[in-house]
Amino acid sequence: MLQNFTSTRSPEELLAEADSLAVLRFNESTETTQSLIDTRVELLGELGAPFEVWKVEDASVEHGTTGNCVWARTNTLQFTAISAPLAQGDDFEATAYAVYQELLSVIETCPHPELVRFWNYIPNINHGAGDSENYKRFCTGRLRAYSKHHLQDLQFPAASAVGHYGTGITVYALTASTSAEHHANPRQVDAFKYPRQYGPSSPSFARATTIELNEQRLCFISGTASILGHSSVHQGDLRLQLYTTNDNILYLLKETGFKASQIRTLRVYLRHKSDLEACQGIVAELFPGTTVLYTHADICRADLLVEIECFCVDE
Ligand code: 3EB
């Protein structure tokens, strides 16, 4: 069974465990640890300095490096990560293209090439005006790389794309040997069909992706925000944005055949640190008893205050 949790043990110790598939570090750090994935996104709350861990109970994990990618795999799942430095003035489209091109090449030739879930962490995501906003440039580079690998709309996996205050782009991906099913949200326009006003290239992701693994179904709900149709709603109102986000997540649970009680972990990306307490209160009301990780991250649309992603297991 795939497990997702946080731990305050050292990354060396966590990575040394035979069944660790991925260990993720938050915040910017100058220490380098082989195989540790740096999100650079800042953690909020009183968790100390935890690491996020994905592990597969009783599996044996093989680790490797191919070019700039680090990967770890069991007999059914693979995590692959890549980071690229970005200096001021570097072109986000070119960097996104290079990162995705290399990542997709490694995935394509691995034993578990089915795209399930991608995470994108991008510095200064909202910098730049109009079509030159970093996120929009990123979307163009990502889409070009997907096209080069003959992947299009309905093959795009669940994803999150948020900003951080560190340096460099990090993308990491979960892929599988079994076929993945990608899902839409009936209340939202598919991201890959967003109209031109959101940028020259639409974002390449599905609202949710499910896989079946060892008779268990797993569901990855993408970063979900206060968007109805294709429009951001409730600008400036954290509470109403969270209610709409929650509704969107409930629709996605229904679409994918999951129940709210099957949500294992939530990750909340919050634009303003000062919203933390209010956000914690509302999230605790909406998702009672669920393990939540709060991070300080800019959302890819400048008018959104919060985005939430979920990992669910059917059992
Ligand atoms: C949205 O629904 C909000 O570009 O990979 C959410 C999840 C969002 C993933 C991505 C963007 C991405 O459009 C933004």
Side-chain angles (χ1 to χ4, degrees):
M1 201 255 277
L2 182 64
Q3 296 182 323
N4 175 222
F5 57 90
T6 54
S7 170
T8 50
R9 291 168 56 206
S10 81
E12 288 81 6
E13 223 175 289
L14 293 166
L15 281 161
E17 297 203 328
D19 52 2
S20 281
L21 197 51
V23 181
L24 297 149
R25 172 165 55 195
F26 299 92
N27 308 346
E28 186 89 44
S29 172
T30 49
E31 281 171 51
T32 52
T33 303
Q34 177 70 18
S35 297
L36 183 66
I37 304 172
D38 267 315
T39 68
R40 299 185 176 84
V41 171
E42 188 189 341
L43 272 186
L44 297 175
E46 287 138 32
L47 285 164
F51 295 85
E52 185 182 38
V53 184
W54 290 91
K55 67 161 62 190
V56 183
E57 240 170 28
D58 301 326
S60 76
V61 177
E62 183 194 350
H63 293 267
T65 303
T66 307
N68 295 304
C69 293
V70 293
W71 51 262
R73 72 170 75 111
T74 66
N75 58 347
T76 49
L77 295 173
Q78 174 158 328
F79 262 95
T80 313
I82 184 165
S83 285
L86 255 174
Q88 196 155 28
D90 276 2
D91 180 31
F92 275 63
E93 176 186 339
T95 306
Y97 179 80
V99 158
Y100 262 81
Q101 148 63 17
E102 185 167 358
L103 184 61
L104 292 172
S105 299
V106 169
I107 288 171
E108 207 170 65
T109 53
C110 87
H112 316 316
E114 190 77 13
L115 308 185
V116 179
R117 213 318 179 177
F118 277 53
W119 287 266
N120 304 281
Y121 295 115
I122 305 162
N124 304 316
I125 196 167
N126 300 131
H127 284 206
D131 286 352
S132 48
E133 187 194 34
N134 288 338
Y135 174 63
K136 291 174 183 151
R137 305 281 302 152
F138 171 87
C139 283
T140 299
R142 172 173 59 179
L143 184 61
R144 276 180 45 222
Y146 269 131
S147 306
K148 178 163 193 277
H149 288 264
H150 310 288
L151 292 160
Q152 45 191 332
D153 295 5
L154 296 172
Q155 292 158 296
F156 296 148
S160 301
V162 299
H164 63 72
Y165 292 89
T167 52
I169 284 186
T170 295
V171 181
Y172 61 98
L174 175 66
T175 58
S177 55
T178 55
S179 71
E181 208 182 322
H182 305 303
H183 304 264
N185 180 349
R187 306 208 314 163
Q188 295 184 307
V189 172
D190 287 330
F192 45 80
K193 292 200 187 118
Y194 279 168
R196 176 64 180 85
Q197 72 199 79
Y198 299 101
S201 311
S202 298
S204 315
F205 70 97
R207 297 294 177 191
T209 298
T210 52
I211 52 169
E212 195 172 323
L213 211 65
N214 307 325
E215 288 168 32
Q216 209 166 39
R217 286 184 76 230
L218 307 179
C219 175
F220 297 87
I221 294 190
S222 288
T224 302
S226 184
I227 296 176
L228 290 176
H230 58 71
S231 308
S232 305
V233 298
H234 306 308
Q235 291 183 24
D237 190 324
L238 180 76
R239 174 173 290 273
L240 292 182
Q241 285 199 15
L242 280 166
Y243 287 170
T244 304
T245 300
N246 177 57
D247 286 347
N248 279 332
I249 290 172
L250 296 179
Y251 270 84
L252 283 165
L253 289 170
K254 188 155 183 280
E255 283 298 303
T256 53
F258 279 80
K259 296 184 284 221
S261 60
Q262 294 169 329
I263 299 176
R264 289 297 167 86
T265 47
L266 286 182
R267 196 189 280 178
V268 176
Y269 300 105
L270 202 53
R271 180 180 295 278
H272 302 302
K273 284 186 191 184
S274 53
D275 280 339
L276 179 63
E277 224 171 287
C279 184
Q280 283 173 321
I282 302 164
V283 168
E285 227 173 75
L286 295 172
F287 303 96
T290 308
T291 305
V292 188
L293 196 66
Y294 289 92
T295 61
H296 178 217
D298 284 339
I299 319 303
C300 62
R301 284 191 189 182
D303 53 11
L304 294 171
L305 297 171
V306 65
E307 182 176 302
I308 302 183
E309 65 183 45
C310 318
F311 166 58
C312 318
V313 182
D314 118 1
E315 71 163 2

